[in-house]
Amino acid sequence: GASLYFTVLGRQDPDPVAQWRAYKDAATRAIVAAGGTITHHHAVGRDHAPYLGDEVGEFGLELLRAVKERCDPAGIMNPGKLLARPA
């Protein structure tokens, strides 16, 4: 599939990182609410990980955790990057 890229122009806030995070959050929530996907041609990644549950639901998260546990029982592959570590 295609990966769409967008450039957004606007007045810069004093904290550009917080501004980017706010814009990213608003855009991502709108995409998920409209039935879109947070995945990218690079997969989900850390920037999109907080929204993974919104897209795949609790069952989807449980399934991913089960696959990770089965395929990586020592937990050495990207620990805590996509799936939050169990409390």
Side-chain angles (χ1 to χ4, degrees), residues 6-7 9 17-18 23 26 38 47 66 68 80 87:
F6 298 92
T7 300
L9 302 174
V17 173
Y23 288 7
I38 61 168
D47 279 348
K68 171 107 169 102

Side-chain angles (χ1 to χ4, degrees), residues 2 6-7 11 17 21 24 26 28 51 58 60 65 76 84:
F6 298 92
T7 300
R11 184 178 63 227
V17 173
R21 285 187 179 134
K24 170 81 172 172
T28 303
Y51 308 97
E58 189 56 37
R65 286 186 188 105
I76 61 171

Side-chain angles (χ1 to χ4, degrees), residues 17-76:
V17 173
Q19 181 181 17
W20 176 84
R21 285 187 179 134
Y23 288 7
K24 170 81 172 172
D25 182 67
T28 303
R29 290 189 184 284
I31 289 166
V32 171
T37 183
I38 61 168
T39 60
H40 189 266
H41 64 280
H42 299 297
V44 174
R46 290 191 304 187
D47 279 348
H48 297 139
Y51 308 97
L52 183 59
D54 294 335
E55 183 171 332
V56 301
E58 189 56 37
F59 177 74
L61 290 175
E62 289 175 22
L63 182 61
L64 288 170
R65 286 186 188 105
V67 169
K68 171 107 169 102
E69 176 62 31
R70 180 74 170 147
C71 294
D72 183 25
I76 61 171

